[in-house]
Amino acid sequence: MAYADGYPIKLVAGRLALDFINTADWSADGTVVKELMPRPADARVWMGKAVPERVSVPEDIGALHALRAALRTLFMGGDGTMAISLVNRLLHDMPQETLRLEGGQIFGGSGATLPQFVAVSALAILADPREVKRVKCCPGDACGWLFLDETRNARRRWCMMETCGNRAKARRNYARRKHAVD
């Protein structure tokens, strides 16, 4: 499954809220380098892969981008006031029976929206101090994806070894060889 521009959808974060944040590539200062979800249609395609049920996607892509940026700021240790406010509003507006958690997965009933699924996932991470400690940011160039490090020794470094990790290894190898030749 891929976004409209052909870029593949990758769910590597371990939690829905973090994968939602990863619908953009980020610079080190938190600005979007590459937008992977520029249109509501892209949000629907992403949702089709990430969410186990069909839920509604708002047509206001700007609101989704604002939620994503606020959550990223919160998980990166910045001022999360806006994210907490958005999550609270989304949860307050949601009928109690709309979403349920079973076996670590979130399921929705009629009327559930994508932002509500993301809000429940974010709240689940924030409610567990062990999970909050294990949220990491990939150091790959122009990646900045967040992921939950679920390894036993908490030493996972890359969002995906196949992409960011291999690129970093290739750059180090190239630099070593170039230095050896000089």
Side-chain angles (χ1 to χ4, degrees), residues 56-119:
S56 65
V57 175
E59 288 300 314
D60 182 5
I61 198 70
L64 288 176
H65 291 168
L67 175 61
R68 180 183 66 192
L71 287 174
R72 186 171 194 283
T73 299
L74 173 68
F75 285 118
M76 292 295 295
D79 180 11
T81 307
M82 186 169 148
I84 297 298
S85 174
L86 288 169
V87 167
N88 282 338
R89 186 174 41 93
L90 288 165
L91 296 175
H92 181 267
D93 294 345
M94 181 174 60
Q96 190 172 12
E97 66 280 353
T98 301
L99 298 179
R100 66 188 187 285
L101 190 64
E102 289 179 15
Q105 284 220 312
I106 303 168
F107 295 91
S110 62
T113 66
L114 178 59
Q116 289 170 333
F117 266 75
V118 171

